[in-house]
Amino acid sequence: MKVLICDHPDCMMPDHALEIETLKAGLGSDANVEVYEYEDNKRGEFYEHLADADALLTAFVSVDAEAMDHASRLKVISLNSTGFDQVDLDEATKRGIGVCPVGEYCTWDVAESAIAYMSALNKHFKFYQREIDERHKWDYAAAPQWPRLEDQVLGIVGFGKIGKCTAEKASGLVKKVIACDPYVSDADFAELGVARVSKDELLAESDIIVNHMCLTDDNERYFDAAAFARMARKPLFINLGRGLCVDEDALVEALDEGRVRAFGADVLHDETPDLASSKLVGRDNVIITPHSAFYSTTAIEDLERLSCENIVHFLRGEKEKVFKLVNQV
């Protein structure tokens, strides 16, 4: 039995000991666990490594119908991510291949990052740091004067586990929390004291907007030129969901025109972006991190363990024990 651990080099775990230990403990010491660094320009080589794999563990490698054509033994794709848009789900289901994202491992971490972004952007940390480090200037009045967080309305788009956790953490920091999510019950909003609003209401009323949505067919470019035009209060805008939810050209224009006063992101349109040519890089009012909002000792251990346990349970026929199986196979 073979498990292929494969991802872009900069997305691989720094150490695979826990993954290998978990897989061999569950599948037997003779299980073949192969680690392979993926490159887009060597797709054919990836197919060769995938050809005899019973399971694939990845986070950001695209697994489409062509990849599955080269994987006649593949039974399960386990993802080191909560999203699963990198897999052709219909094709996997048709072929009886289980798809298992990690449903829960970094809720606390991402919500914590949302609060960090809010504070850092509102208090101009990047601007002041550059003033001190690069310009050797000591002037508090050099930055724009903005209200305290306690005088601002926070709007959360995507009120799932992470959105709810962010709302809880922010409840004592901001004036009010509102949220938009058509898939969450009124009871969930009421339980946390969060006002349910429409997309248009959220865009118009929020001083801070945080995106926590997973990517779906319905929300690609959710934040487009029309959305930025409706942001009446010139908000801080923070994207901790998926890069494809944002039209980056429209965002750049909104920043240039002052319709968005600052931007924070842990994700960009491209998971391996060309930072040298990005129009978002180098701005005093933009903070970008390399998809690291989840990153902590606890989260990494949970991520590695759960994603490998998903493989073990699926291959042993214990589908009821898989943490999250998103297709019926």
Side-chain angles (χ1 to χ4, degrees):
M1 189 170 292
K2 173 179 169 179
V3 178
L4 177 64
I5 300 174
C6 177
D7 226 318
H8 300 272
D10 56 350
C11 299
M12 292 284 262
M13 294 297 175
D15 182 279
H16 298 283
L18 179 57
E19 292 171 314
I20 294 171
E21 177 186 340
T22 303
L23 289 167
K24 286 185 174 288
L27 299 175
S29 58
D30 58 343
N32 176 18
V33 181
E34 179 185 349
V35 178
Y36 170 70
E37 292 188 352
Y38 175 86
E39 295 181 40
D40 282 326
N41 61 355
K42 296 182 179 178
R43 186 80 174 172
E45 189 174 289
F46 165 60
Y47 293 156
E48 293 176 8
H49 288 269
L50 188 63
D52 59 345
D54 297 278
L56 171 65
L57 175 59
T58 188
F60 300 110
V61 173
S62 172
V63 187
D64 54 14
E66 183 178 0
M68 295 178 205
D69 286 341
H70 290 82
S72 59
R73 290 178 50 178
L74 191 63
K75 302 174 183 67
V76 61
I77 302 167
S78 183
L79 300 167
N80 275 330
S81 62
T82 56
F84 48 92
D85 52 284
Q86 62 273 55
V87 178
D88 186 329
L89 193 61
D90 291 338
E91 196 65 34
T93 303
K94 187 189 306 181
R95 300 171 188 238
I97 299 171
V99 179
C100 310
V102 177
E104 167 63 54
Y105 74 99
C106 63
T107 293
W108 181 279
D109 303 87
V110 178
E112 184 177 82
S113 293
I115 304 301
Y117 264 112
M118 288 166 50
S119 300
L121 290 170
N122 200 61
K123 297 303 267 184
H124 310 289
F125 282 0
K126 182 179 179 182
F127 171 79
Y128 285 132
Q129 201 63 55
R130 289 176 68 159
E131 287 283 280
I132 290 169
D133 287 346
E134 300 175 16
R135 301 162 192 140
H136 305 145
K137 291 181 65 176
W138 187 266
D139 182 7
Y140 72 85
Q145 190 178 75
W146 291 345
R148 293 173 176 171
L149 290 179
E150 71 171 357
D151 297 321
Q152 300 187 53
V153 173
L154 168 62
I156 299 173
V157 183
F159 203 54
K161 293 176 184 176
I162 298 175
K164 291 171 185 171
C165 190
T166 295
E168 288 185 282
K169 291 181 185 300
S171 62
L173 295 175
V174 299
K175 179 180 180 180
K176 180 181 179 182
V177 181
I178 61 178
C180 172
D181 193 323
Y183 304 105
V184 176
S185 71
D186 290 339
D188 285 347
F189 281 85
E191 182 180 350
L192 293 175
V194 173
R196 179 175 214 144
V197 296
S198 68
K199 176 183 178 180
D200 284 346
E201 289 172 325
L202 185 140
L203 295 175
E205 297 173 15
S206 299
D207 300 289
I208 306 162
I209 296 174
V210 179
N211 175 37
H212 280 313
M213 292 187 296
C214 294
L215 183 68
T216 69
D217 292 337
D218 297 326
N219 63 24
E220 188 169 337
R221 294 178 181 265
Y222 185 94
F223 297 97
D224 57 9
F228 290 120
R230 295 199 294 273
M231 293 181 181
R233 299 186 63 81
K234 300 179 180 179
L236 304 177
F237 176 48
I238 300 165
N239 186 17
L240 296 176
R242 279 286 189 256
L244 289 172
C245 291
V246 177
D247 181 333
E248 287 187 2
D249 290 336
L251 169 62
V252 168
E253 185 176 328
L255 285 165
D256 288 343
E257 296 179 356
R259 285 181 278 115
V260 169
R261 58 189 160 109
F263 175 60
D266 192 47
V267 288
L268 294 175
H269 191 274
D270 189 342
E271 186 58 41
T272 54
D274 179 6
L275 297 175
S277 62
S278 173
K279 294 180 180 179
L280 292 170
V281 172
R283 296 172 182 253
D284 286 338
N285 64 339
V286 172
I287 296 176
I288 300 171
T289 48
H291 210 154
S292 59
F294 73 97
Y295 196 50
S296 70
T297 302
T298 305
I300 290 296
E301 289 178 355
D302 286 348
L303 177 63
E304 291 184 283
R305 178 178 50 79
L306 289 169
S307 60
C308 289
E309 286 178 351
N310 279 344
I311 290 174
V312 169
H313 292 315
F314 192 94
L315 292 180
R316 289 170 55 171
E318 302 166 342
K319 294 181 184 178
E320 73 283 356
K321 295 183 180 180
V322 173
F323 192 82
K324 188 175 183 180
L325 181 63
V326 295
N327 58 341
Q328 297 294 320
V329 292

